[in-house]
Amino acid sequence: MEEKKLDINSIIGFVLIFGILVYMMYTSQPTPEELEAQEKAKQEQVEAEAQTAAKQQDKVVSSEDFTAPSPTDSLKLEALKGKLGALAYSSTLPSAKDTHTVVENQVLALKFSNKGGYLSEIKLKEFVNFKAEPIYLVKDGNTDFNINFGTTDNRTLNTRDLFFEPTITKNGENTVVSMKLKAGPQQYLEYRYELKPDDYMIDFTIRSQGMGNVINGSQAIDLNWDLQTYRQAKSISYENRYTEMVYEYDGGKDSYLGQSELSDDTESSVTYVAYKQHFFSSVLLADEPFSTASLVSRNLVKDETIDTVYTKAFASKLPLELKGGELNKTMDWYFGPSDYEVLSSYNRNLDEIMPLGWGIFGWINRYVFIPMFSFLSGFLPYGIAIIVMTILVRLVMSPVTYKSYVSQAKMKILKPEITEINEKHKDNPMKKQQEIMALYSKAGASPMAGCLPALMQLPVFYALFMFFPSAFDLRQKPFLWAEDLASYDTIVNLPFNIPFYGDHVSLFPILASVAIFIYMKMTTGQQMASQPTQEGMPDMGKMMKYMIYISPLMMLFFFNNYASGLSLYYFISNLITIGIMLVIKNYIIDEDKIHAKIQQNKKKPKKQNRFQKKMQEMMEQAEEQKKAQQRKK
């Protein structure tokens, strides 16, 4: 009986335990919403894994994938071959690391990157920037040098992503750096650099060996060279004004991209492309011209208070051609100062990079001012050399100043007679003009005689305006309070920025503005006194009066950010001109003698030349026609 009871109790216990388990399982099972969320999560995980696998299958191999696999990593090696084909060999070499090769000469310190085989750092050893820091044309990834090409197994590769094997050898005194992108022990694409002692020019060759079955000649092979130019000067806006892309094409012609926010051009038969900064240049030259070139310049300085690192971004796309299934392009690199004498010494037309002016202006700079300043600065301090050169220029131009002043004196003497003619023939403009012309002819005077000397001075004025900002020798040369004659001088730093003026006060532009005000007061006052007012014409006297004040003000604002050497020139030039004019007025020109001479000339019969006779006849015919029309009326 006890046994039966135990059995019944056991059965009841098992039933209760089973019931509890069933209840727990029932209460713990997910709701329909939870089941749906779990299913969705599983599906998303499956899709993510599928996408990752697809990306791994299709993506361009990253630099990490190109690193040399270990001998046991056969799967990675096979993956590299799947991505790079024959060029996977380059990633199996010990050089397949993101390391650098360093060489230098007396003027350049160069660093070559194994990844991409290009110049990843270029330092000019002899120069520093406005912060006294070394000049780097290339550093910290501001450049990109890449060849984009197709392969015979339908891949598109970029050399910037591939590893080159470096070797350094000697060729006499020259240092040769060879960077080889290898498809096998004797198959490679090579960048060959040859660095000469104490030279800014580097021989550069792109050639291939045994790559005819690797490089697809039916696809375009493009050499791309990009550079963001570093700021090197105190005023980034002033430096940026002289930073531009210059190129030579069509057998010696040269051109440049403008200063707009974005400029581009496509040219054929291009010999060199120069990324010119204000005082330094990076130039790629070809022995045989590139068939075409796509060139782009982009301005990076929109706000000089914010954009303080780079001035412009340049980009060139240059085609390379296979010959016999191989590449063989001989070129040169120039990395150095934008110095006329240094550039012209290479006899490669590189002096055209310098903005010396076109036509006669460039001729004056090349053959007059550059040799003169080079001679003077050879034994004089640079500021004194500018002053001496200014004195010489003004002395040479003093005969022109003299003729201009004599012409103004004659016109001043004739003004009463011209006023009388105007009154006498105020109702007959044609007759009035005839009388005035006859007076000028007899007196030997002309209103144009005062303008022509001024026009003759314009080429000299403009040539010097182009010369001083381009004079590399003035860079970082101090004079008086100016720390750098190639940049603006500062006597006061302002706590705010004045539009078109800047955040500082320069003294040389102030002195130049005062001098030009005095000069214009003297010359314009003389012209106003001598220039008769013509009926129906604008009041020139009033316009000249305004210009006396407007011109110095414009110079004050415009030159506040310009090179102090240029402002020094204009200050000294106007001072000397004022002195010359005072000497001419007080010691050379005698207005009474000029007046007596004019009266004598008026008594003499004046022989007219052919042009004067023709003009006289035309005016007489016009007068007769007018009278005939009046009679008909």
Side-chain angles (χ1 to χ4, degrees):
M1 192 71 183
E2 285 291 323
E3 255 178 18
K4 195 183 246 188
K5 226 169 163 186
L6 180 61
D7 290 339
I8 291 171
N9 290 335
S10 298
I11 292 170
I12 292 171
F14 282 124
V15 170
L16 288 174
I17 291 171
F18 179 75
I20 292 170
L21 289 172
V22 170
Y23 176 76
M24 290 176 65
M25 291 174 65
Y26 175 77
T27 56
S28 63
Q29 75 175 11
T31 64
E33 290 80 7
E34 290 174 331
L35 287 172
E36 183 179 354
Q38 290 177 6
E39 187 65 27
K40 186 176 180 181
K42 288 180 182 179
Q43 184 65 28
E44 288 177 352
Q45 183 177 356
V46 170
E47 290 177 357
E49 290 175 354
Q51 289 176 1
T52 302
K55 288 180 180 178
Q56 293 296 330
Q57 181 68 24
D58 299 333
K59 72 174 183 175
V60 176
V61 182
S62 67
S63 60
E64 290 79 6
D65 295 324
F66 291 173
T67 55
S70 63
T72 58
D73 197 357
S74 58
L75 290 177
K76 190 170 184 180
L77 178 58
E78 289 302 317
L80 284 175
K81 288 182 178 178
K83 299 300 179 183
L84 302 178
L87 290 172
Y89 179 82
S90 65
S91 295
T92 67
L93 303 175
S95 57
K97 300 176 183 178
D98 196 1
T99 56
H100 299 86
T101 301
V102 177
V103 298
E104 61 181 286
N105 64 7
Q106 289 83 353
V107 295
L108 295 172
L110 308 175
K111 186 182 288 187
F112 302 85
S113 174
N114 284 17
K115 185 185 175 187
Y118 66 100
L119 278 161
S120 58
E121 187 173 290
I122 302 168
K123 173 185 173 183
L124 302 182
K125 297 169 66 174
E126 297 183 314
F127 308 105
V128 294
N129 63 16
F130 71 107
K131 294 181 179 179
E133 299 170 344
I135 295 287
Y136 286 94
L137 299 183
V138 172
K139 189 182 181 184
D140 296 334
N142 72 319
T143 190
D144 182 34
F145 186 82
N146 176 59
I147 296 179
N148 176 268
F149 63 96
T151 64
T152 53
D153 52 0
N154 297 321
R155 307 172 199 277
T156 300
L157 300 177
N158 293 287
T159 57
R160 70 161 78 90
D161 299 324
L162 305 173
F163 287 99
F164 287 64
E165 183 180 57
T167 58
I168 301 176
T169 57
K170 282 287 187 178
N171 181 18
E173 293 184 346
N174 300 347
T175 301
V176 178
V177 178
S178 173
M179 306 294 291
K180 291 181 179 178
L181 172 61
K182 289 191 169 183
Q186 300 301 322
Q187 289 180 282
Y188 53 81
L189 170 67
E190 180 186 25
Y191 295 166
R192 184 183 185 277
Y193 306 85
E194 186 163 345
L195 182 64
K196 297 175 282 294
D198 200 24
D199 199 342
Y200 297 105
M201 191 75 77
I202 305 168
D203 295 344
F204 178 55
T205 302
I206 297 176
R207 70 185 190 96
S208 65
Q209 178 176 300
M211 298 289 282
N213 62 343
V214 177
I215 300 176
N216 186 353
S218 63
Q219 288 184 232
I221 305 172
D222 293 322
L223 170 61
N224 297 280
W225 176 35
D226 300 351
L227 182 69
Q228 289 180 296
T229 52
Y230 280 119
R231 170 194 186 177
Q232 310 290 359
K234 184 163 58 173
S235 172
I236 191 170
S237 296
Y238 182 64
E239 180 181 14
N240 199 31
R241 189 178 295 128
Y242 294 96
T243 299
E244 58 191 0
M245 182 189 293
V246 184
Y247 57 93
E248 183 187 64
Y249 68 101
D250 199 16
K253 299 177 183 177
D254 60 272
S255 188
Y256 63 95
L257 298 187
Q259 295 288 332
S260 60
E261 185 173 341
L262 179 65
S263 303
D264 62 89
D265 196 6
T266 300
E267 197 57 73
S268 59
S269 189
V270 173
T271 313
Y272 69 68
V273 177
Y275 297 165
K276 178 194 171 294
Q277 297 171 248
H278 188 184
F279 285 123
F280 302 97
S281 293
S282 305
V283 190
L284 178 62
L285 306 96
D287 287 357
E288 292 184 10
F290 294 101
S291 57
T292 59
S294 297
L295 309 168
V296 177
S297 172
R298 188 160 54 91
N299 184 20
L300 301 180
V301 182
K302 297 177 182 177
D303 184 346
E304 65 177 84
T305 61
I306 300 172
D307 306 318
T308 60
V309 179
Y310 303 107
T311 51
K312 283 191 171 66
F314 299 123
S316 300
K317 184 178 180 181
L318 309 163
L320 298 176
E321 299 174 1
L322 292 176
K323 294 181 180 179
E326 302 287 355
L327 286 173
N328 191 4
K329 186 72 174 178
T330 304
M331 295 170 281
D332 296 282
W333 286 111
Y334 174 84
F335 300 107
S338 301
D339 185 333
Y340 176 81
E341 292 185 356
V342 174
L343 292 171
S344 59
S345 68
Y346 290 104
N347 199 27
R348 300 282 294 271
N349 208 28
L350 289 177
D351 55 290
E352 295 295 339
I353 292 174
M354 303 299 297
L356 299 176
W358 53 271
I360 188 173
F361 310 115
W363 186 91
I364 292 172
N365 275 325
R366 283 180 174 84
Y367 302 109
V368 180
F369 292 140
I370 289 177
M372 182 192 300
F373 187 76
S374 179
F375 171 74
L376 293 173
S377 61
F379 60 91
L380 293 173
Y382 286 92
I384 302 299
I386 291 175
I387 293 174
V388 173
M389 188 171 88
T390 308
I391 293 171
L392 294 175
V393 171
R394 295 317 304 169
L395 288 176
V396 170
M397 299 299 295
S398 58
V400 177
T401 306
Y402 171 75
K403 288 184 178 180
S404 177
Y405 202 89
V406 168
S407 176
Q408 292 174 19
K410 287 182 178 181
M411 294 298 297
K412 180 181 178 182
I413 293 168
L414 291 175
K415 185 178 180 181
E417 296 185 52
I418 294 172
T419 302
E420 184 181 340
I421 293 172
N422 284 332
E423 288 295 322
K424 183 179 179 181
H425 301 287
K426 61 182 178 180
D427 297 327
N428 192 338
M430 188 68 69
K431 185 66 176 177
K432 178 175 64 177
Q433 193 66 24
Q434 286 179 335
E435 292 288 332
I436 291 174
M437 293 293 290
L439 176 63
Y440 286 155
S441 178
K442 289 179 180 179
S446 171
M448 292 300 295
C451 299
L452 289 176
L455 291 175
M456 290 173 62
Q457 296 182 67
L458 282 179
V460 175
F461 176 89
Y462 184 76
L464 286 165
F465 180 79
M466 300 300 291
F467 167 76
F468 281 104
S470 301
F472 185 86
D473 289 342
L474 293 180
R475 183 179 179 272
Q476 297 181 345
K477 300 300 189 300
F479 180 66
L480 298 178
W481 58 86
E483 297 177 352
D484 184 353
L485 285 169
S487 185
Y488 58 82
D489 64 289
T490 305
I491 56 169
V492 176
N493 286 307
L494 302 175
F496 48 83
N497 186 73
I498 301 174
F500 306 108
Y501 186 73
D503 59 357
H504 62 277
V505 177
S506 298
L507 182 55
F508 275 128
I510 295 175
L511 296 176
S513 298
V514 171
I516 199 172
F517 174 78
I518 297 171
Y519 166 73
M520 291 192 70
K521 194 79 172 173
M522 293 173 62
T523 58
T524 308
Q526 177 80 356
Q527 290 174 359
M528 289 166 60
S530 63
Q531 196 75 19
T533 303
Q534 299 289 333
E535 187 179 345
M537 297 294 288
D539 190 345
M540 295 301 295
K542 191 175 289 186
M543 292 175 65
M544 290 178 180
K545 186 177 180 180
Y546 291 143
M547 288 303 296
I548 292 175
Y549 301 95
I550 292 174
S551 294
L553 194 62
M554 289 176 62
M555 172 167 275
L556 182 65
F557 271 77
F558 188 71
F559 283 86
N560 193 61
N561 291 293
Y562 255 72
S564 53
L566 184 63
S567 299
L568 171 62
Y569 164 77
Y570 285 129
F571 169 56
I572 300 299
S573 177
N574 284 313
L575 278 185
I576 295 170
T577 305
I578 290 168
I580 290 174
M581 291 183 65
L582 289 173
V583 171
I584 291 173
K585 179 180 180 181
N586 296 318
Y587 299 101
I588 298 177
I589 289 181
D590 188 332
E591 292 188 3
D592 293 334
K593 287 184 178 180
I594 292 175
H595 185 267
K597 188 174 181 180
I598 288 175
Q599 298 305 318
Q600 290 178 359
N601 289 339
K602 287 165 67 175
K603 295 176 182 178
K604 295 178 183 178
K606 191 70 175 179
K607 186 177 180 181
Q608 293 181 324
N609 57 37
R610 186 178 299 177
F611 175 76
Q612 291 173 326
K613 286 182 179 179
K614 189 69 176 176
M615 288 294 296
Q616 182 73 20
E617 290 173 2
M618 290 172 64
M619 293 177 72
E620 289 175 355
Q621 289 175 3
E623 182 67 21
E624 290 296 326
Q625 289 175 0
K626 185 177 179 181
K627 289 180 179 179
Q629 289 175 356
Q630 289 176 348
R631 284 195 295 268
K632 286 181 181 180
K633 289 180 181 180

